[in-house]
Amino acid sequence: MTGHDPKADLQKYLRDARAVLLWKLDGLSEYDVRRPVTPSGTNLLGLVKHLAGAEALYFGAVHGRPFMGTPLWIMGDAEPNADLWARADETREEIVGLYRRACAHADETIAALPLDAVGRLPGEREIELTLHHSLAHMIAETQRHAGHADIVRELLDGATGQRPGGANTPEADPVWWREHRERVERAAGEAAGHPAPPA
């Protein structure tokens, strides 16, 4: 019979999501890790900066173990979306290093507390959260933004997949992918009653 460690299981999924997010920056220029590729300004380095603050909040401030390396951008007087982009004077190394330190601090909190440890989310009305809830929240939050990073990276340079080399996508050449996309487009048009585009 295999052993059962719910905390280790949760932490494994969180660590995996963190690694995916950081991998999406590999090999890109300073401009490409920062530039917005959606109308709302979504960019890779901003996603990392945002998650540094979230790790600091959910595993630091919530559980009475403040992380001194980052402001909690989503709290207090920060301008809207201050945590979702990098100023010109904030380097990639600083933001990635901040994220790594916030994650290490979070891992220390996870190791130190039982899953049923209760903390409080700061705000106008403090909300009680267990460490289990904090872990579940951060897995969902990090996976959500790793998904954003997947799409941003594909729009930047065509790279896809959860691991280097696109390990969880079909191994195919550009012609196959172009034909696949055209097939998806045709199906969408047919479902909507639109005429097929010319070949």
Side-chain angles (χ1 to χ4, degrees):
M1 183 172 197
T2 60
H4 181 61
D5 185 344
K7 188 197 285 189
D9 292 343
L10 291 166
Q11 195 166 18
K12 174 185 179 295
Y13 281 97
L14 179 56
R15 285 178 171 158
D16 184 63
R18 292 167 175 167
V20 169
L21 179 76
L22 288 177
W23 171 66
K24 293 297 175 178
L25 277 66
D26 284 359
L28 291 179
S29 69
E30 193 67 30
Y31 175 65
D32 280 343
V33 297
R34 296 166 175 270
R35 71 178 169 114
V37 297
T38 68
S40 62
T42 306
N43 65 92
L44 292 171
L45 202 54
L47 295 173
V48 175
K49 183 178 176 181
H50 170 74
L51 286 169
E55 293 266 0
L57 175 61
Y58 279 89
F59 298 113
V62 165
H63 292 285
R65 299 169 55 87
F67 173 65
M68 305 313 290
T70 182
L72 299 177
W73 292 286
I74 59 175
M75 312 292 286
D77 298 327
E79 69 175 78
N81 283 352
D83 61 327
L84 286 166
W85 64 286
R87 298 185 320 265
D89 64 338
E90 294 176 305
T91 70
R92 177 196 321 214
E93 291 74 19
E94 287 170 344
I95 291 174
V96 170
L98 181 67
Y99 181 59
R100 290 184 190 282
R101 290 191 308 279
C103 291
H105 181 267
D107 288 343
E108 291 171 6
T109 296
I110 294 165
L113 300 176
L115 285 176
D116 61 357
V118 176
R120 286 170 181 75
L121 185 65
E124 288 183 18
R125 51 184 192 93
E126 290 190 346
I127 300 169
E128 289 192 344
L129 301 176
T130 63
L131 179 66
H132 187 198
H133 183 109
S134 293
L135 271 160
H137 175 86
M138 281 308 304
I139 291 166
E141 179 87 356
T142 308
Q143 289 288 10
R144 174 175 182 255
H145 292 308
H148 292 149
D150 284 340
I151 293 170
V152 170
R153 182 67 190 253
E154 184 174 359
L155 291 171
L156 288 170
D157 70 355
T160 61
Q162 190 174 356
R163 301 279 184 274
N168 64 334
T169 56
E171 292 184 22
D173 62 22
V175 172
W176 185 93
W177 282 110
R178 185 180 67 248
E179 291 172 352
H180 170 70
R181 188 190 183 286
E182 290 168 357
R183 182 179 182 200
V184 173
E185 177 64 36
R186 282 194 306 275
E190 289 172 16
H194 299 163

